């Protein structure tokens, strides 16, 4: 959906609910006539939070996606959007550098080697302070502020310093590593103290919350008990799991819609109506295990379990963080692998793998989910993985198979998936083959159970649980609360 920009000369009204995330939930669209408008952006975080913001109203603070420009706050689909600017150097050092070449690999089990650079850290501090300043300016007295993800781990403490009257929540969408890995970070104590500015620190899994509690005890020296941290000033911080989910009704509705049904039949026809369609949908990221899964699929053909006419693999890999070295290397590796596999196994008009290096609108993704028989989600490490849940939501006939890495957070809930260790190619092949050969009854048994799980914990539950706990939290330092300045 496209909203128009309403620039406002005056300061935006103060908000009772403020979301702070690295990105605004919109992409800028420039029409042929040069007119600027904004469309809802794709991505797990945005699709998870947009329904909550729409229903509750509120302000969203984030980076608009371009460097070096200052934009005024504007309204979009019932939310006030507050752009935070970033220079080209900050984009390189805070976003590409510290967020995505230091924290991202460190928090994902060192799937790639993290780089530690002091100037990247300095930019991370500066940009986090800017987000905190913006939140302090827009939040109404006693408001709830919910900060999102690894790019903004210092914001809770910066914000508490400025506005001790606020209820501050933080949610980490990616894994939180064990102490042995986290402790490599030269700024480990600063990051822990940054997070401790929140009243509630949420994680995808309880193991991650326990990692955090243990680190706080070891590295900061605070007293802890179960999911609570006791600060010397009397404040109590809760660290616990809030597994994120999707808008199940929305995806199921899309899947059932006529245009998506028609598109799904067209996709099957275009692929030559094979017996089985395998599907992967990921950001093009080295944590996602795309290379290993395509190899596993190609080996199943090589080994003679089925032919490229019987089964085909559609891999969507949306471009991501393209200037970061590891992502560039991955893109070249996958291009080469797909070329080899199709060169070896494909026939005219029948490639073994249809590789699409682009992003698609949600309706097209839903059509792919409907068209496919076996969804393959095999990350080496993943906070949750919403694609797995989206696939389940779209299979309203209780059919289709999900092959899922045991290292994705989603595996904690979707126990009836064909669970795999993505480092074990033979094990992965065995499970993919089992999914390929499974009878209808078995598929229905598994899918029905997974659909029940996704229905019981959708994104509305997730947001309600987190915000419910946050509303009940006692903001710290109440005795020191400064009178809030009105704009
Ligand atoms: O889930 C992790 C995350 O970084 C989200 O914060 C973000 O929405 C998504 O991946 C896409 O990443 P990026 O903003 O770097 O393109």
């Amino acid at each position: 959906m496209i909203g128009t920009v309403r620039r406002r000369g005056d300061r935006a009204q103060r908000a009772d609910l403020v979301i702070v995330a690295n990105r605004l939930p919109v992409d800028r669209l420039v029409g042929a006539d040069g007119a600027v408008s904004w469309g809802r952006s794709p991505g797990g975080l945005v699709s998870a939070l947009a329904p909550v913001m729409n229903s509750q109203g509120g302000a969203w603070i984030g980076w608009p996606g371009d460097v070096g420009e200052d934009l005024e706050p504007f309204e979009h689909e019932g939310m006030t959007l507050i752009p935070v600017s970033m220079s080209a150097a900050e984009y390189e050092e805070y976003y590409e550098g510290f967020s995505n070449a230091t924290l991202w690999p460190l928090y994902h089990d060192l799937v790639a080697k993290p780089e530690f650079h002091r100037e990247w850290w300095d930019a991370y501090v500066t940009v986090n302070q800017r987000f905190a300043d913006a939140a302090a300016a827009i939040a109404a007295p006693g408001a709830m502020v919910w900060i999102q993800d690894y790019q903004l781990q210092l914001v809770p403490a910066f914000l508490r310093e400025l506005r001790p009257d606020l209820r501050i929540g933080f949610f980490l969408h990616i894994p939180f590593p064990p102490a042995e890995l986290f402790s490599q970070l030269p700024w480990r104590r600063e990051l822990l103290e940054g997070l401790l500015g929140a009243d509630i620190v949420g994680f995808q899994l309880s193991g991650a919350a326990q990692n955090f509690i243990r680190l706080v005890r070891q590295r900061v020296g605070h007293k802890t008990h179960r999911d609570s941290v006791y600060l010397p000033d009397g404040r109590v911080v809760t660290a616990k799991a809030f597994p994120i989910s999707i808008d199940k009704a929305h995806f199921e509705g899309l899947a059932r819609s006529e245009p998506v049904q028609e598109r799904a039949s067209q996709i099957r026809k275009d692929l030559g109506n094979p017996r089985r369609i395998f599907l992967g949908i990921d950001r093009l990221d080295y944590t996602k295990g795309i290379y290993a899964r395509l190899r596993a699929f190609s080996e199943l053909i090589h080994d003679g379990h089925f032919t490229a006419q019987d089964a085909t693999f559609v891999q969507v890999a949306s471009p991501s963080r393209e200037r970061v070295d590891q992502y560039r290397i991955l893109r070249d590796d996958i291009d080469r692998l797909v070329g080899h596999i199709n060169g070896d196994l494909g026939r005219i008009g029948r490639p073994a793998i249809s590789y699409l290096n682009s992003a698609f609108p949600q309706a097209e993704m839903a059509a792919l989910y409907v068209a496919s028989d076996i969804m393959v989600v095999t990350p080496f490490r993943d906070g949750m993985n919403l694609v797995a849940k989206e696939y389940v939501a779209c299979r309203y006939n209780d059919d289709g198979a999900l092959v899922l890495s045991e290292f994705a957070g989603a595996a904690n809930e979707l126990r009836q998936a064909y669970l795999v260790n993505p480092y074990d190619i033979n094990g992965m092949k065995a499970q993919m083959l089992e999914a390929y050969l499974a009878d209808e009854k078995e598929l229905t048994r598994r899918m029905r159970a997974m659909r029940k799980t996704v229905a019981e914990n959708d994104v509305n539950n997730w947001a309600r649980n987190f915000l419910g706990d946050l509303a009940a939290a006692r903001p710290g330092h109440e005795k020191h609360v400064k009178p809030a300045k009105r704009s």
Side-chain angles (χ1 to χ4, degrees), residues 193-226:
E193 284 176 339
L195 291 169
L196 287 170
D199 298 296
I200 298 185
V201 186
F203 298 89
Q204 301 280 21
L205 302 178
S206 56
Q210 282 152 23
N211 289 345
F212 173 72
I213 296 262
R214 182 177 157 215
L215 272 158
V216 164
R217 200 169 50 240
Q218 279 181 352
R219 298 280 169 201
V220 193
H222 292 325
K223 260 183 63 185
T224 66
H225 180 62
R226 299 207 170 149

Side-chain angles (χ1 to χ4, degrees), residues 22-23 42-46 63 95 100 104 108 148-151 173-174 283 288 319-321 382:
N22 179 54
R23 286 184 191 271
L45 176 62
V46 179
W63 173 58
Y95 171 75
N100 289 314
W104 183 266
H108 285 88
Q148 308 292 324
D149 229 353
Y150 63 103
Q151 303 94 343
H173 291 252
I174 68 173
R283 272 186 313 100
K288 301 290 183 184
S320 183
R321 306 170 191 167
D382 208 333

Side-chain angles (χ1 to χ4, degrees), residues 327-483:
Y327 289 78
R328 252 203 284 253
I329 295 167
L330 175 76
R331 182 177 172 156
D332 290 348
D333 286 350
I334 299 219
D335 282 352
R336 252 195 310 274
L337 178 71
V338 170
H340 276 149
I341 294 174
N342 282 340
D344 272 3
L345 303 171
R347 299 282 174 273
I348 289 175
R350 290 287 185 94
I353 296 172
S354 295
Y355 178 58
L356 306 163
N357 187 215
S358 43
F360 293 101
Q362 248 176 21
E364 181 70 0
M365 310 262 272
L368 285 164
Y369 293 140
V370 171
S372 308
D373 305 288
I374 302 162
M375 181 84 218
V376 190
V377 181
T378 55
F380 295 118
R381 179 62 70 189
D382 208 333
M384 176 54 63
N385 198 292
L386 295 177
V387 162
K389 292 187 174 180
E390 288 171 6
Y391 180 71
V392 168
C394 287
R395 305 305 301 195
Y396 56 86
N397 282 330
D398 291 336
D399 57 3
L402 174 65
V403 175
L404 179 61
S405 163
E406 56 191 74
F407 303 128
N412 218 37
E413 294 167 81
L414 304 178
R415 303 305 300 167
Q416 298 77 15
Y418 291 86
L419 292 173
V420 298
N421 168 1
Y423 293 96
D424 170 12
I425 299 229
N426 283 347
M428 204 150 53
K429 283 167 66 180
Q431 288 293 77
M432 285 164 75
L433 186 59
E434 203 174 318
Y436 176 87
L437 296 171
D439 62 33
E440 218 173 286
K441 213 169 133 216
E442 173 65 3
L443 294 176
T444 301
R445 182 188 70 76
R446 289 174 182 255
M447 188 54 75
R448 191 171 285 156
M450 292 193 287
R451 286 180 55 75
K452 186 162 175 278
T453 305
V454 174
E456 281 167 1
N457 181 34
D458 74 352
V459 73
N460 298 313
N461 284 61
W462 171 74
R464 205 177 309 123
N465 288 343
F466 192 100
L467 291 172
D469 278 17
L470 188 56
R474 192 181 65 84
H477 305 286
E478 271 174 334
K479 53 184 181 294
H480 304 305
V481 170
K482 297 175 205 147

Side-chain angles (χ1 to χ4, degrees), residues 25-186:
V26 288
D27 291 322
R28 189 208 309 256
L29 309 168
V30 183
D33 57 354
V36 173
S37 60
W38 299 86
R40 164 98 65 88
S41 39
L45 176 62
V46 179
S47 41
L49 285 176
V52 192
M53 292 297 280
N54 289 344
S55 66
Q56 303 215 5
W60 186 308
I61 297 171
W63 173 58
D66 274 317
V67 293
E69 66 170 0
D70 285 324
L71 291 179
E72 291 293 319
F74 59 96
E75 301 291 316
H76 182 88
E77 293 185 354
M79 323 175 210
T80 302
L81 302 188
I82 302 180
V84 171
S85 63
M86 213 182 289
S87 69
E90 285 166 346
Y91 178 76
E92 273 177 38
E93 295 178 351
Y94 149 79
Y95 171 75
E96 295 182 326
F98 199 77
S99 296
N100 289 314
T102 304
L103 293 175
W104 183 266
L106 182 70
Y107 282 29
H108 285 88
D109 273 6
L110 308 187
V111 174
K113 194 170 161 38
E115 289 181 47
F116 302 114
H117 297 294
R118 284 165 288 185
E119 59 280 18
W120 289 3
W121 165 253
D122 294 342
Y124 187 80
V125 174
T126 305
V127 174
N128 271 244
Q129 184 67 59
R130 191 172 304 144
F131 275 86
D133 292 346
I138 193 71
M144 292 200 285
V145 180
W146 192 2
I147 300 150
Q148 308 292 324
D149 229 353
Y150 63 103
Q151 303 94 343
L152 301 176
Q153 291 172 97
L154 301 178
V155 174
F158 288 159
L159 182 57
R160 180 158 305 283
E161 182 65 30
L162 293 165
R163 292 287 306 274
D165 59 302
L166 301 175
R167 287 178 166 80
I168 302 174
F170 179 91
F171 183 75
L172 185 71
H173 291 252
I174 68 173
F176 190 79
E180 292 70 20
L181 300 188
F182 186 85
S183 299
Q184 290 185 7
L185 197 67

Side-chain angles (χ1 to χ4, degrees), residues 207-257:
Q210 282 152 23
N211 289 345
F212 173 72
I213 296 262
R214 182 177 157 215
L215 272 158
V216 164
R217 200 169 50 240
Q218 279 181 352
R219 298 280 169 201
V220 193
H222 292 325
K223 260 183 63 185
T224 66
H225 180 62
R226 299 207 170 149
D227 61 6
S228 300
V229 179
Y230 300 91
L231 275 74
D233 63 7
R235 214 156 58 78
V236 180
V237 178
T238 304
K240 64 185 235 197
F242 295 86
I244 199 170
S245 193
I246 54 154
D247 189 344
K248 191 233 173 206
H250 170 70
F251 273 96
E252 182 165 336
L254 263 182
R256 287 179 186 271
S257 72

